[in-house]
Amino acid sequence: MKHIIRYYNKSNPSRVVFQYIFSSEIHLLDVNVNGPNIQPKPKKLPCDLHTCSHLCVSANNGKHECICKDNYVLLPNGTCSIDSTIWYPPRCIIGSTDTISMFYPTLIHSSLDDNQQYINLFLRRTKTIITAVTVDIYSNLLFFAEDTTKSINVVRMKGGADLKIIHTYTGGRVDGMAVDWISLNVYWVDYLKNLLMVSSYDGIAQSTRFFNVIRPRAIAVDPNARLIFWTEKTSPTKLVSCNLGYTNRKDLINTNLLNPSGITLDHAQRRIYIVGEDSTLIYTIDYDGIENVDVIGSSISPAKDITLYQDFIILAGSYERQSGFIEAIHKVSGSHEGRINVNTAVYAIETIDKSAQPIATLTTTPEITTTSPLTTRRNVQTTATTTTTINTTSYLTTARHAQTTGSKFTLIIGCASGAFALIVVLVVITLLGKRHKRKHQDMTVAFGNLQEYKFFE
């Protein structure tokens, strides 16, 4: 604060050897001393002849050591290779003109002058616009909609292999997509055809819903809550919900947006965030739509899509056809936390992170319903023993389901009290069998086939 630089005698720290006072216009913040005696340099540097493909550091005895960038593993020859076991840490994926790209969410907070150079190309598509993207992080699958080819596509995120078209359409426009990562279904809305559609990951089973879906722009799914949310560009515009069986439709709110283009879900807080192409405001409301809609902040420009990562809302949009932006805003304070300007229009954004696709841990056996148009193929984790049938005929289906059994009734016995309980159960079953012997002469009751006994008939 006094604009002074001093240095002292090392053997007598209280003695000032030199002092210089600067003018008040100069503010001193740091000092550094350079010289060959301060930074001695050996004649032979350990990293002079290194074979490291990424980073080299000095090691003991004048040797060197190779270090790899994040998400890479070190090979014996000093080169680095992508670690396929952890290749999908938290990332954001964007759809734009001709390309699908990925970047680390922390890039938005960086102060780099040209941070768009760290947005990495994932998939190049020629002369097309990627209007919607969604991912299943457990199956490593990316789904995207192409407006030029009018197709819904799926591709493996690991290496971009096995690209497949699962649906084609004519005359429509898909603006929003979402996955049910538990049931292995993908949803999308067609703005021009007034459709809400769902398909199995392989595209074999598909269902279309027409029930008063008017100009849908965006869609999100919470399979743990068994809810679908979407926006409609009506007058007034709406945020709508229904369950996975397409029943119990509810018009939650008037979004106050003329063109509600993007929505995302906070699964932990059970909240919905909404943006529109006609406003810079960001709206939020709870799943039930009971409380009043709230404005939590604004972006630098109207956004086309929205996603969440940790405590931040991440928006994507376009200034014009050849330029766009990605922006982070704190979801509580609404403060601006960073921005990336890109030299292409951005139409869609999604977060690749387990927090965006949680699998709930239940304390009771989940109720199985048959109203959903597509069969549930990924079971939620439960503390009780459950049954799940996995369809392995499709090359896209992933078996990541644990804890399976075929019983309708499960009996767990432990310690001495369990033995006593077993005796009581057997006695009760025996008495029941005798009681209904005349009525059910052909009924055989044995502990070995207890699961076949219709206990509540």
Side-chain angles (χ1 to χ4, degrees):
M1 299 299 294
K2 294 184 178 181
H3 322 290
I4 299 175
I5 182 170
R6 299 188 180 105
Y7 75 86
Y8 299 80
N9 190 305
K10 188 163 59 174
S11 61
N12 184 10
S14 63
R15 178 189 170 196
V16 177
V17 178
F18 177 81
Q19 173 176 294
Y20 185 84
I21 301 176
F22 291 87
S23 65
S24 60
E25 289 81 12
I26 297 177
H27 297 273
L28 305 178
L29 300 176
D30 197 9
V31 64
N32 182 274
V33 182
N34 296 293
N37 296 329
I38 297 171
Q39 296 181 345
K41 184 177 181 181
K43 293 182 179 180
K44 183 179 180 181
L45 299 179
C47 289
D48 277 347
L49 301 176
H50 74 85
T51 57
C52 303
S53 59
H54 288 175
L55 302 173
C56 176
V57 297
S58 59
N60 293 331
N61 303 321
K63 297 181 180 179
H64 74 272
E65 181 179 352
C66 296
I67 298 176
C68 296
K69 296 187 296 185
D70 290 344
N71 312 312
Y72 285 77
V73 292
L74 182 65
L75 301 180
N77 63 357
T79 60
C80 299
S81 176
I82 288 181
D83 187 351
S84 60
T85 63
I86 59 168
W87 87 270
Y88 55 90
R91 294 192 189 183
C92 286
I93 187 164
I94 57 174
S96 55
T97 305
D98 297 337
T99 62
I100 298 175
S101 304
M102 292 186 184
F103 64 92
Y104 293 100
T106 52
L107 179 64
I108 307 178
H109 306 288
S110 71
S111 58
L112 298 172
D113 293 333
D114 186 18
N115 47 15
Q116 72 166 326
Q117 64 179 308
Y118 298 99
I119 300 177
N120 300 312
L121 174 67
F122 171 75
L123 191 67
R124 185 175 295 280
R125 307 294 291 169
T126 305
K127 296 181 180 179
T128 189
I129 295 176
I130 310 300
T131 57
V133 295
T134 188
V135 298
D136 181 335
I137 65 171
Y138 303 99
S139 296
N140 287 327
L141 295 177
L142 162 68
F143 299 87
F144 61 95
E146 286 185 344
D147 188 56
T148 307
T149 61
K150 303 295 182 184
S151 62
I152 304 294
N153 306 267
V154 60
V155 64
R156 294 192 186 277
M157 287 192 289
K158 185 186 297 183
D162 302 327
L163 191 148
K164 178 182 178 182
I165 297 176
I166 63 173
H167 179 75
T168 56
Y169 52 96
T170 56
R173 190 183 80 199
V174 173
D175 284 346
M177 299 181 69
V179 293
D180 177 348
W181 59 91
I182 293 177
S183 299
L184 305 182
N185 299 323
V186 57
Y187 293 78
W188 63 87
V189 286
D190 191 314
Y191 172 74
L192 296 178
K193 288 193 170 183
N194 300 324
L195 297 179
L196 191 161
M197 293 195 65
V198 58
S199 169
S200 58
Y201 280 6
D202 53 18
I204 295 176
Q206 295 187 2
S207 177
T208 306
R209 294 295 144 179
F210 297 86
F211 56 85
N212 297 325
V213 179
I214 302 174
R215 295 291 188 264
R217 286 297 316 270
I219 186 170
V221 177
D222 186 338
N224 296 302
R226 291 186 49 78
L227 290 173
I228 307 171
F229 301 93
W230 70 93
T231 60
E232 294 186 354
K233 186 182 175 182
T234 54
S235 181
T237 55
K238 299 175 183 177
L239 171 67
V240 189
S241 74
C242 71
N243 62 31
L244 295 183
Y246 295 123
T247 59
N248 194 30
R249 172 185 165 130
K250 291 175 61 178
D251 293 350
L252 298 182
I253 58 168
N254 169 9
T255 65
N256 296 317
L257 292 167
L258 299 178
N259 197 350
S261 55
I263 59 175
T264 191
L265 305 179
D266 185 333
H267 298 271
Q269 300 298 322
R270 293 176 60 88
R271 298 198 65 81
I272 311 160
Y273 294 85
I274 314 165
V275 293
E277 290 185 271
D278 58 285
S279 172
T280 61
L281 299 179
I282 304 168
Y283 294 89
T284 180
I285 195 169
D286 68 331
Y287 275 17
D288 299 322
I290 297 175
E291 63 182 40
N292 293 327
V293 64
D294 188 22
V295 176
I296 59 115
S298 63
S299 58
I300 57 173
S301 186
K304 291 182 178 294
D305 205 1
I306 181 173
T307 188
L308 289 178
Y309 175 65
Q310 293 182 351
D311 293 330
F312 301 97
I313 299 167
I314 303 179
L315 308 171
S318 302
Y319 299 122
E320 53 191 32
R321 185 172 178 83
Q322 297 301 323
S323 64
F325 69 91
I326 301 163
E327 184 179 13
I329 295 175
H330 198 278
K331 70 178 183 181
V332 177
S333 67
S335 61
H336 292 251
E337 301 292 336
R339 181 172 71 247
I340 305 174
N341 290 318
V342 293
N343 54 8
T344 182
V346 183
Y347 300 95
I349 189 167
E350 183 73 290
T351 300
I352 306 174
D353 184 57
K354 288 186 177 181
S355 63
Q357 296 183 345
I359 298 180
T361 300
L362 305 180
T363 56
T364 58
T365 303
E367 179 183 358
I368 305 299
T369 64
T370 57
T371 56
S372 179
L374 302 175
T375 306
T376 298
R377 285 156 288 162
R378 175 176 289 128
N379 65 310
V380 295
Q381 299 171 349
T382 63
T383 56
T385 306
T386 58
T387 302
T388 302
T389 302
I390 302 174
N391 178 9
T392 59
T393 57
S394 169
Y395 85 105
L396 291 173
T397 304
T398 303
R400 63 173 183 264
H401 313 265
Q403 303 175 350
T404 58
T405 158
S407 62
K408 296 179 182 177
F409 178 81
T410 304
L411 184 65
I412 302 176
I413 300 169
C415 302
S417 59
F420 176 75
L422 173 60
I423 296 173
V424 172
V425 171
L426 291 175
V427 171
V428 171
I429 292 174
T430 303
L431 292 176
L432 288 174
K434 290 182 178 181
R435 182 177 179 182
H436 297 284
K437 185 175 181 180
R438 293 181 182 179
K439 189 174 182 179
H440 304 282
Q441 293 292 333
D442 58 341
M443 180 178 293
T444 301
V445 179
F447 187 73
N449 64 352
L450 184 62
Q451 71 266 19
E452 298 177 4
Y453 183 65
K454 298 186 185 302
F455 205 75
F456 298 101
E457 278 195 351

